[in-house]
Amino acid sequence: MNMAEKIAGVWPEIALLLGAALCLLVGLARSVAIRRFTGWIAAASLLVAGWIVAAQVCNAGGVIGLTPYIKLAVVAVGLILLMVAAAVPVQLKMTRDIEAGREPFEPGLVIRGEFFAFFLFSLTGVMLTADASDLVWLFLALELTSLPTYVMVATSRDRVEAQESGVKYFFLGAMAAAVFLYGFALIYGATGQTSFSLIVDAANQQIAAQGRISPLLTTGIVLSLLGVAFKIAAVPMHFYAADVYQGATTAVTAFLAFVPKTAGFVALIALLGLLPDGYVPPAITWLLWIMAALTMTVGNVLGLMQSNVKRVLAYSSIAHSGYMLVGLLALHGSGDALGNGTAAILFYLVAYGLATIGAFAVLGSLQARGEEAETFDDISGLVRTHPVLAGVMLLSVLSLLGLPPMIGFLGKIYLFGSAIQHGFVGLVVIAVLNSAVSAVYYLRIASACFFGDSEGHTVSTPGISRPLAAGIAAVAALILGFAGGRLVSTARDAGGFPTGRNDVVTTPSQPPAATTASR
Amino acid sequence: MLLLADQTVVEPFGAVKPLLFYALAAVIVLSAWGIVLSQNIVRMAVYLLLTLAGVAGFYFMLHAEFLAAVQLIVYAGGTLILIVFGVMLTSKNPFMQLKTALWERFVGVLIGLVIFGLLLFGLVHTALPTGAAATGESGGGHYQVAAIGRALLSDYLVPFEVAAVLLLVVMIGAAFMARRSAKQGNG
C-alpha cells in the first residue's frame, strides 16, 4: 500500500482532528453561549467521521474489516461518551460566577473547548491505532490515545485526588511507553524492518532457516506486550486503575474504561499478528496465559473488597481485560463462528464498553453531598428515588456479569468458545470460576440499588444527557443481546482479516452463519 | 565531530575500533550506574549527560551521523537542560536528596534483573548479523540525511504528521494545566 492509499484511509481521523482544532478555536471565545457549541462540534465531527467510514465500507463492497469495525465502534461509543461528558456544564450562571472569581474554580463546571479537543484527539489515536501498518505509526498512535487522557484526568476535578491520580497515571504511562518502545526497538533490531508485512516476511525467513523465530524477536514482542498491557490494565501493569478511576470525574472514568483499552487490544492484536501464521513461541503463549489468569483473578478478588462503586468498576474493568486476554490466545482463528479469538475480542470490546459506560453514566447522573455519587451508600435504595436509573444500572451489571439476555453473555460465549477450540480448557475453567466470583460484587451493586435503604441525600445531576446516555447504552446492550447476530457476524468478518497485514490483499470472509447463535 | 566521522567512512576507525567501543561502553554503563545509585538529582543529570553522549559516540562509530547529531542536540542538549531547569525552577532546594526505601530498591532490582535476563536470553540465542550488514556502512555519509528526509515525507508521512499532532497535544495540555492552576490561585 503506498502513502496515497494510506492517506485516503485516514480521512475519518482528519475529520476528527479538524473538529478538535475547531473546538480549540471556539473554546477561546469570551462568551459562554458561544463556547457551548464545542460539545456540538465534537458530536458533528464524530458523525462526519462515522459517515466517511461508512462510505469507505460501501466503496469496498460492504465488507467491514478490522479497521472500519474499530472505527465504527469508536464513533458509536464515542457519541455515548460525549453525551456523558457534555452534560456537566449545564449551569450557565455558575460558569459565569466561576469565571468572574465569585465561585471557587471547579474545572468540571466550566465549559472548556480543550476538554472536547482532547476527547477527539484521543479518539483519533484509537482510530490511527486501528490503521497502523508500521511500528513507528503504532507507537505514535498509541501515545496520541494516551497523552490527552493524562491531561483529562488531572484537570477533571479541582481536587488533590484528581491531580494525584493524573500524575500517577502519567508517570506509569510514560514507563509503560518506554517498555513497549524498547520492545519495538528489539523487533526492529531482530528483523531490520518497521513495516508489519515486512516483519512477517522476515519472521517467515527465520522460520525457514532455523525452524523458529529468533529469540530477539520473541523478546521484543514480549516486552511490547508487557508495555501495551498498561493500556488495558492487565496484571503486571494494573496498579494505577483503581486510583485513577476513582480520582477522575465519572465522565473521564467512563472514557478511560473504554478508549485506551480498545487501543490497547487493537495494538495487541497487531503485535501478535507479527508472528507468522500458526506459529506462536511457547514463551508468548505462557506469558499470555499467566497474564490472563492473574488479571481476571486479581481484578475479581480485589473487586470483592471495595466499598466504592467506582473502584469496584475499576477492578471489574481489570477483570474484563483478563477475559479478553483469553481470546488473544486463540487469535489465529479458523474462521468459523466459535473459533476466532480476534472476532470474539472485537465483539466483546463493544459489549463490555456499552455495559460499563452505562454503569458509569448512572453514577454520573447522581449527586450526593454536592459530588458525583460513588459509594454504595449513595446508590442505596435508588429504585425508590430514581427507578429508571436503577433499572439501567441493573441491566449494565447483568451484562457485565454475562447473564443470558444481555450482550455480555454472548461476548463471553464467543471468547471462551474460541479459547476451548484452541485447547485452553484450563484457562477457560479459571475464567468461568472468575465470572462466578464477579457475581458477588455485581449483584452487590444491584441489591444496593433495589433492596438498600434510601438515605435521601442522593439527587439527580441537572441535565438530561447523562441519564439518556445511560439508557441508550443499557438498551443497546439488551437489544444487541437478543439480536446480536448481525454484530457477531460483522465482528467475525472483521476478525477474519489477517491481523497486522493490512497492506496485503485479504480474502473476503465466509457467508455469515452465526445468526442462529444470537438466542 | 561530524566532519571527522565523514572522513572515516573510507577507513572506519581501523584497529582502534574495538578499543573505542569498549571505552564508550564503559562510559555508558558506569554513568548509567551513577544515575541509579546517586541520590542527588543534579548529579543524576550530569551522569545522564555522559550516558547520552556515549550513545551518540556509538552512533558515530556506526556511521549514523545524523542520528548522532540528533542525539546530541535533542537529548544531551535539549532534554537534559530541560530537566535541570525543571529542578531549579520547581524545587526549593535543587540539591535535595532522593531517598528510596529498602523495599523499593528490592522491587527495582528485581524488575531490573527480570528485564536483564530477558534481554540476555534474547541476545545470547540470536545469531546477530556481522560486518557491513550490521552497521549499514554501504550508504554512509551525508546521503543518509537526504534519505531520512525523503522517507519522512513519503513512506512515513502519516506518522510524521501524527508526531506533529502529538506535540500539539502536549503543548496545549501543558498550557491548559498551567493556566488552570493560575486561575486557582486567583480564585
Side-chain angles (χ1 to χ4, degrees), chain A residues 76-91:
Chain A
V77 180
L79 281 171
I80 300 178
L81 281 170
L82 191 64
M83 287 174 72
V84 179
V88 190
V90 283
Q91 295 146 304

Side-chain angles (χ1 to χ4, degrees), chain A residues 3 6-7 17 24 105 107 112 114 118 121 128 134 136-137 140 143-144 147-148 151 154-155 157-158 163 182 186 194 212 214-216 219 222-223, chain B residues 115 118-119 121-123 125-129 153-160 162-163 165-166 168-170 172-174 176-177 179-180 183-184 187:
Chain A
M3 198 33 79
K6 284 182 186 167
I7 293 173
L17 284 179
L24 285 171
F105 182 68
R112 303 159 301 164
E114 287 91 343
F118 286 137
F121 278 132
L128 282 169
D134 188 286
V136 181
W137 185 327
L140 289 168
E143 282 316 284
L144 185 59
L147 270 170
V151 182
T155 58
R157 276 207 278 198
D158 192 26
Q163 287 170 25
Y182 201 176
L186 290 180
T194 60
R212 52 163 199 185
S214 73
L216 199 60
T219 311
V222 164
L223 276 181
Chain B
I115 294 180
L118 206 63
L119 291 176
F121 167 81
L123 281 175
H125 291 273
T126 305
L128 293 172
L153 290 179
S154 58
D155 289 347
Y156 292 91
L157 183 58
V158 175
F160 182 64
V162 175
V165 174
L166 202 62
L168 179 76
V169 170
V170 172
I172 297 171
F176 185 41
M177 288 166 77
R179 187 189 69 178
R180 188 179 146 274
K183 269 196 173 177
Q184 196 178 1

Side-chain angles (χ1 to χ4, degrees), chain A residues 57-143:
Chain A
V57 168
C58 288
N59 283 342
V63 184
I64 298 184
L66 174 75
T67 308
Y69 179 89
I70 290 292
K71 288 186 182 177
L72 287 175
V74 163
V75 167
V77 180
L79 281 171
I80 300 178
L81 281 170
L82 191 64
M83 287 174 72
V84 179
V88 190
V90 283
Q91 295 146 304
L92 279 183
K93 181 176 179 305
M94 184 143 187
T95 309
R96 290 203 191 95
D97 283 351
I98 288 172
E99 299 209 330
R102 286 190 291 271
E103 290 270 340
F105 182 68
E106 178 73 26
L109 293 177
V110 289
I111 299 170
R112 303 159 301 164
E114 287 91 343
F115 179 86
F116 293 108
F118 286 137
F119 187 96
L120 292 178
F121 278 132
S122 190
L123 292 183
T124 315
V126 184
M127 286 194 176
L128 282 169
T129 311
D131 266 324
S133 59
D134 188 286
L135 286 177
V136 181
W137 185 327
L138 183 64
F139 173 74
L140 289 168
L142 280 176
E143 282 316 284

Side-chain angles (χ1 to χ4, degrees), chain A residues 43-428:
Chain A
S45 62
L46 270 174
L47 285 174
V48 170
W51 180 70
I52 295 173
V53 180
Q56 283 174 347
V57 168
C58 288
N59 283 342
V63 184
I64 298 184
L66 174 75
T67 308
Y69 179 89
I70 290 292
K71 288 186 182 177
L72 287 175
V74 163
V75 167
V77 180
L79 281 171
I80 300 178
L81 281 170
L82 191 64
M83 287 174 72
V84 179
V88 190
V90 283
Q91 295 146 304
L92 279 183
K93 181 176 179 305
M94 184 143 187
T95 309
R96 290 203 191 95
D97 283 351
I98 288 172
E99 299 209 330
R102 286 190 291 271
E103 290 270 340
F105 182 68
E106 178 73 26
L109 293 177
V110 289
I111 299 170
R112 303 159 301 164
E114 287 91 343
F115 179 86
F116 293 108
F118 286 137
F119 187 96
L120 292 178
F121 278 132
S122 190
L123 292 183
T124 315
V126 184
M127 286 194 176
L128 282 169
T129 311
D131 266 324
S133 59
D134 188 286
L135 286 177
V136 181
W137 185 327
L138 183 64
F139 173 74
L140 289 168
L142 280 176
E143 282 316 284
L144 185 59
T145 311
S146 282
L147 270 170
T149 58
Y150 304 143
V151 182
M152 283 162 77
V153 169
T155 58
S156 67
R157 276 207 278 198
D158 192 26
R159 276 174 50 176
V160 172
E161 288 93 330
Q163 287 170 25
E164 183 197 325
S165 59
V167 168
K168 208 179 260 182
Y169 192 36
F170 172 71
F171 278 110
L172 290 174
M175 191 191 77
V179 171
F180 69 71
L181 191 56
Y182 201 176
F184 286 8
L186 290 180
I187 294 174
Y188 176 58
T191 58
Q193 305 292 346
T194 60
S195 157
F196 290 168
S197 53
L198 294 176
I199 291 174
V200 175
D201 290 347
N204 273 322
Q205 280 168 17
Q206 287 173 0
I207 287 187
Q210 304 159 6
R212 52 163 199 185
I213 62 170
S214 73
L216 199 60
L217 180 56
T218 312
T219 311
I221 293 179
V222 164
L223 276 181
S224 317
L225 294 182
L226 281 174
V228 176
F230 174 84
K231 309 264 186 248
I232 62 168
V235 142
M237 305 293 228
H238 69 288
F239 290 102
Y240 70 96
D243 289 348
V244 172
Y245 281 30
Q246 189 186 5
T249 49
T250 312
V252 176
T253 312
F255 191 83
L256 291 183
F258 179 74
V259 175
K261 194 162 285 210
T262 307
F265 270 102
V266 174
L268 288 176
I269 290 172
L271 284 170
L272 288 175
L274 296 180
L275 296 165
D277 266 331
Y279 178 84
V280 182
I284 291 178
T285 308
W286 277 109
L287 175 78
L288 288 174
W289 202 102
I290 294 170
M291 246 164 80
L294 279 179
T295 305
M296 9 190 208
T297 312
V298 167
N300 281 323
V301 170
L302 291 180
L304 291 177
M305 305 173 183
Q306 307 303 321
S307 61
N308 184 307
V309 182
K310 262 169 127 176
R311 285 184 87 88
V312 170
L313 289 174
Y315 284 109
S316 125
S317 114
I318 294 175
H320 283 277
S321 284
Y323 302 146
M324 285 187 265
L325 282 172
V326 175
L328 218 49
L329 277 165
L331 203 57
H332 290 281
S334 49
D336 58 333
L338 275 171
N340 191 325
T342 315
I345 290 175
L346 293 179
F347 182 76
Y348 202 86
L349 273 173
V350 174
Y352 155 81
L354 285 175
T356 202
I357 290 168
F360 278 122
V362 170
L363 287 183
S365 313
L366 297 166
Q367 274 182 332
R369 297 174 300 271
E371 301 244 342
E372 284 169 338
E374 55 180 46
T375 62
F376 276 102
D377 286 344
D378 295 342
I379 59 165
S380 176
L382 193 63
V383 70
R384 276 181 282 283
T385 49
H386 303 87
V388 178
L389 286 178
V392 167
M393 192 61 140
L394 180 68
L395 288 180
S396 297
V397 294
L398 287 185
S399 184
L400 285 171
L401 174 56
L403 237 58
M406 308 299 298
I407 190 176
F409 172 68
L410 273 185
K412 276 190 180 152
I413 291 231
Y414 287 115
L415 269 183
F416 300 166
S418 65
I420 286 180
Q421 275 213 347
H422 285 72
F424 295 101
V425 179
L427 193 60
V428 172

